[in-house]
């Protein structure tokens, strides 16, 4: 475990990572899902996690959220052990349809986070309007989730997460169920939202291109049990651009490297 | 309302009118002795007479009162107990067998017990009505609370919502379609048991009116009471449906 801390120090100097996994092992139902995972995420970093289906990406994210407690090892947030979920850490779930309250309108769903944060009701409408505008849903405040498209529902979930004013944003394949065009639009929106708020992001995806396009760093997990198999720094200029970034030689090199890694794990 | 709905509505009125006409015909032809079966004309006249003398109003008020108190008590207790049992899977496994034993027990079986303990009183009626009406509400609430989307509890956890906030902002609204459906079923149960209790305990209400009319062979009055009971059941159930419709407007959007 000390070695992990040393490695982090070597990479980042002595800065405290915002989220630190220190030799984390998680056993669920007698099965080791994650084994000896050490990982530090710096404040403001955009970390992407990729890996074959069932390798433990979601589980790692749930550990970072405090929804699971490690069987052994530690998960720290800002240097403090994480005992339970906290408002500074927001999660965007893949299944937006289940994560929204169907009986509340778009405004009501955003309001839920503001209520939980103790914002006085007089201040909420203005803030709700602002957040819905930020995610590109102005004028949809009165709609129920069921009256919105998948892309709009996912935007709404992101708005609710932003309402938490999170220091860390955890996203579990947030665009997995959306079509390619909607997906690219949302990728750029997330990048600009994150740039504006300075939040730290852990982003899980199946899509290797998406991981490289978004991330400062990409981690590939190996399955059974889940552990780190590859770690790539993405030195692509920001702001990223859907056309030029994806044609960048560095992008193509990383893509090849990641692709070979995933192919090897699937055999 | 679209054309098809209007046609259905007209057709259902035509059927009802047909039944009244057949009833009138049977009465006119004296197929059944008028002592037992008055025609709709006589039943209607008795209804009007009862209202203008004020007798029926007070009987109706009595029945509505028994029904409302019993139903409200059942709703409050049923939702509270159902919420406690439904929100914990351990409670469900422990309590479910006892519920399965108590639930099929006919309410009529506990009436003698209630009479022995509370006498022929309003309290006995309240207890019996509430006991009978609690089941649909409680079972629906248990089901509704058990079926809350687990993802929503995770959302609540990551928002660090208080226990109370989770119950009132997540679990109750999520279970509300089930709860309201249970409350609608209970409404009918409460009406039936109000009448039964009034008959058994001689409490002021339509049940008592019907009983006295039958004993005195005043068949027109008897039918007036029965018609009024039918109307009470119909109107309360329609009112409940309207309330459901309003409260669950978000579900209409879902379909
Ligand atoms: N509560 C649990 N109990 C037992 N095993 C579990 C539990 N949750 C997940 N697993 C197992 O842990 C492994 C990792 O699951 P996880 O959901 O983290 O994978 P994933 O990488 O997110 O997969 P996908 O890409 O399909 O979303 C799987 O083999 C899964 O069956
Ligand atoms: Mg997953």
């Amino acid at each position: 475990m000390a070695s992990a801390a040393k490695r982090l120090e070597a990479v980042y100097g002595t800065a405290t990572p915002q989220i630190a996994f220190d030799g984390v092992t998680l056993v669920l139902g007698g099965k080791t899902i994650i084994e000896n995972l050490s990982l530090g995420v710096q404040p403001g970093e955009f970390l992407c996690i990729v890996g074959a289906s069932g390798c433990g990406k979601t589980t790692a994210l749930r550990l970072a959220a405090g929804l699971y407690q490690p069987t052994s090892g530690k998960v720290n947030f800002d240097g403090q052990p994480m005992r339970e979920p906290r408002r500074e850490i927001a999660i965007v779930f893949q299944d937006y349809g289940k994560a929204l309250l169907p009986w509340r309108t778009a405004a009501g769903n955003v309001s839920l986070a503001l209520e939980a944060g103790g914002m006085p009701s007089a201040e909420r409408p203005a803030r709700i309007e602002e957040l819905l505008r930020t995610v590109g849903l102005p004028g949809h405040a009165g709609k129920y989730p069921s009256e919105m498209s998948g892309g709009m529902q996912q935007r709404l979930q992101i708005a609710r997460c932003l309402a938490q004013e999170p220091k860390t944003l955890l996203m579990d394949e947030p665009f997995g169920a959306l079509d390619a065009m909607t997906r690219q639009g949302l990728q750029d929106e997330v990048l600009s939202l994150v740039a504006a708020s300075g939040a730290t992001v852990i982003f899980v995806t199946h899509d290797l291109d998406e991981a490289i396009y978004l991330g400062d760093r990409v981690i590939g997990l190996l399955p059974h049990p889940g552990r780190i198999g590859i770690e790539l720094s993405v030195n692509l200029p920001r702001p990223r651009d859907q056309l030029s970034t994806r044609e960048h030689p560095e992008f193509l090199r990383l893509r090849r490297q990641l692709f070979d890694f995933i192919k090897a794990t699937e055999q | 309302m679209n054309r098809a709905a209007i046609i259905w509505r007209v057709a259902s009125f035509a059927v009802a009118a047909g039944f009244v006409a057949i009833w009138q015909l049977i009465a006119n032809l004296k197929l059944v002795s008028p002592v037992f079966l008055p025609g709709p004309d006589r039943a209607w006249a008795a209804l009007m007479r009862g209202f203008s003398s004020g007798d029926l109003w007070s009987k109706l008020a009595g029945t509505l009162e028994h029904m409302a108190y019993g139903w409200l008590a059942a709703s409050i207790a049923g939702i509270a107990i159902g919420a406690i049992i439904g929100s914990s899977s351990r409670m469900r496994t422990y309590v479910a067998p006892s519920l399965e034993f108590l639930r099929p027990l006919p309410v009529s079986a506990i009436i003698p017990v209630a009479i022995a303990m509370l006498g022929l009183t309003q309290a006995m009626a309240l207890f019996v009505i509430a006991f009978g009406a609690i089941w649909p509400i409680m079972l629906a609430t248990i089901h509704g609370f058990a079926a809350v989307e687990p993802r929503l509890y995770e959302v609540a956890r990551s928002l660090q919502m208080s226990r109370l906030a989770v119950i009132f902002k997540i679990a109750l609204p999520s279970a509300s379609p089930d709860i309201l459906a249970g409350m609608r079923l209970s409404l009918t149960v409460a009406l039936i048991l109000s009448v039964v209790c009034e008959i058994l305990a001689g409490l002021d209400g339509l049940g008592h009116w019907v009983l006295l009319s039958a004993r005195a062979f005043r068949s027109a009055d008897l039918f007036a009471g029965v018609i009024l009971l039918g109307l009470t059941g119909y109107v309360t159930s329609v009112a409940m449906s309207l309330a459901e419709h309003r409260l669950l407007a978000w579900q209409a959007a879902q379909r």
Side-chain angles (χ1 to χ4, degrees):
Chain A
M1 324 295 123
S3 69
K6 261 190 209 130
R7 190 177 58 80
L8 287 173
E9 262 183 44
V11 178
Y12 295 106
T14 48
T16 325
Q18 187 163 90
I19 294 187
F21 282 62
D22 190 358
V24 170
T25 295
L26 181 72
V27 179
L28 284 177
K31 205 172 126 201
T32 307
I33 315 272
I34 299 273
E35 188 166 71
N36 196 21
L37 182 69
S38 291
L39 172 69
V41 190
Q42 295 302 309
E45 186 180 0
F46 202 121
L47 174 76
C48 292
I49 300 181
V50 297
S53 195
C55 70
K57 303 183 295 294
T58 296
T59 309
L61 211 63
R62 294 172 67 86
L63 281 160
L67 289 169
Y68 284 151
Q69 287 299 317
T71 310
S72 67
K74 276 184 308 204
V75 177
N76 281 356
F77 183 81
D78 277 344
Q80 301 295 318
M82 178 118 79
R83 307 229 176 280
E84 56 188 7
R86 38 167 79 210
R87 263 200 298 279
E88 298 131 285
I89 306 177
I91 321 175
V92 178
F93 293 100
Q94 174 176 8
D95 42 5
Y96 41 78
K98 291 181 179 171
L100 295 168
L101 309 184
W103 56 89
R104 285 198 181 205
T105 58
N109 270 281
V110 175
S111 177
L112 186 77
L114 301 177
E115 292 159 27
M119 180 183 275
S121 59
E123 296 169 23
R124 278 180 228 148
R127 180 80 181 120
I128 290 169
E129 206 191 305
E130 188 187 335
L131 284 161
L132 288 177
R133 199 161 355 95
T134 311
V135 297
L137 291 176
H140 297 286
K143 282 199 177 146
Y144 289 104
S146 53
E147 298 172 301
M148 306 170 99
S149 70
M152 289 163 77
Q153 291 185 40
Q154 194 55 295
R155 278 165 203 233
L156 178 55
Q157 200 192 171
I158 292 171
R160 186 179 63 201
C161 287
L162 294 178
Q164 287 176 247
E165 297 189 357
K167 282 185 171 176
T168 296
L169 197 55
L170 306 175
M171 306 181 94
D172 189 4
E173 302 190 40
F175 312 141
L178 303 175
D179 64 88
M181 285 306 288
T182 312
R183 209 178 159 111
Q184 294 203 344
L186 280 171
Q187 286 169 356
D188 290 332
E189 279 173 39
V190 162
L191 282 182
S192 61
L193 287 176
V194 166
S197 72
T200 311
V201 181
I202 305 183
F203 190 104
V204 165
T205 176
H206 261 116
D207 181 341
L208 307 184
D209 291 34
E210 182 173 69
I212 301 165
Y213 181 74
L214 294 173
D216 296 314
R217 189 158 52 120
V218 179
I219 280 176
L221 293 187
L222 287 170
H224 313 299
R227 66 222 125 98
I228 296 179
I230 193 172
E231 184 172 345
L232 301 171
S233 288
V234 182
N235 293 310
L236 286 165
R238 288 190 189 270
R240 307 256 163 104
D241 175 82
Q242 290 290 352
L243 289 178
S244 62
T245 301
R246 288 175 192 268
E247 286 167 355
H248 201 287
E250 174 71 357
F251 184 93
L252 298 175
R253 188 185 67 77
L254 290 168
R255 185 171 185 272
R256 181 59 196 250
Q257 213 177 333
L258 215 48
F259 191 80
D260 288 342
F261 164 77
I262 294 291
K263 232 178 132 186
T265 65
E266 277 175 352
Q267 275 157 11
Chain B
M1 216 189 287
N2 58 19
R3 262 181 73 110
I6 293 173
I7 292 174
W8 275 111
R9 186 62 54 96
V10 170
S12 65
F13 274 118
V15 169
F19 275 125
V20 175
I22 293 171
W23 174 14
Q24 185 74 63
L25 197 68
I26 293 172
N28 286 353
L29 295 176
K30 297 208 164 48
L31 294 177
V32 178
S33 157
V35 177
F36 301 116
L37 183 75
D41 49 347
R42 279 178 56 214
W44 182 256
L47 198 60
M48 289 304 117
R49 199 167 355 99
F51 275 139
S52 59
S53 73
D55 285 357
L56 264 183
W57 281 123
S58 72
K59 300 290 173 189
L60 177 63
T63 297
L64 284 178
E65 192 182 315
H66 296 142
M67 186 179 165
Y69 283 148
W71 182 69
L72 283 177
S75 298
I76 294 167
I79 293 171
I81 299 171
I84 293 169
I85 298 173
S87 47
S88 136
S89 63
R90 192 175 308 164
M91 273 294 260
R92 283 204 298 282
T93 36
Y94 286 148
V95 180
S98 325
L99 290 185
E100 287 311 310
F101 173 75
L102 281 171
R103 188 177 56 99
L105 206 66
V107 185
S108 38
I110 75 130
I111 292 180
V113 181
I115 292 178
M117 283 180 354
L118 299 166
L120 294 173
T121 58
Q122 297 277 3
M124 182 281 293
L126 183 67
F127 175 80
V128 169
I129 298 166
F131 184 87
I134 199 171
W135 296 103
I137 300 176
M138 190 166 78
L139 294 173
T141 307
I142 292 175
H143 178 260
F145 268 71
V148 176
E149 171 57 48
R151 184 67 82 229
L152 293 180
Y153 285 135
E154 292 180 353
V155 169
R157 279 178 70 195
S158 82
L159 287 171
Q160 295 185 291
M161 286 167 63
S162 67
R163 260 190 92 90
L164 219 59
V166 173
I167 292 173
F168 283 101
K169 292 179 182 173
I170 308 264
L172 262 182
S174 169
S176 61
D178 287 310
I179 295 176
L180 289 170
M183 286 172 76
R184 181 151 40 82
L185 287 177
S186 290
L187 214 48
T188 317
V189 178
L191 177 60
I192 294 169
L193 290 176
S194 299
V195 173
V196 169
C197 288
E198 284 157 13
I199 290 177
L200 284 178
L203 301 175
D204 215 23
L206 286 173
H208 195 51
W209 164 281
V210 168
L211 180 73
L212 292 186
S213 305
R215 280 195 186 145
F217 295 102
R218 293 194 315 254
S219 63
D221 283 345
L222 169 65
F223 270 69
V226 171
I227 291 170
L228 207 49
L229 280 172
L231 278 176
T232 306
Y234 180 72
V235 169
T236 49
S237 145
V238 166
M240 186 68 205
S241 294
L242 287 178
E244 261 183 275
H245 205 76
R246 274 200 69 127
L247 289 169
L248 304 179
W250 56 272
Q251 272 202 325
Q254 221 163 17
R255 271 178 225 121

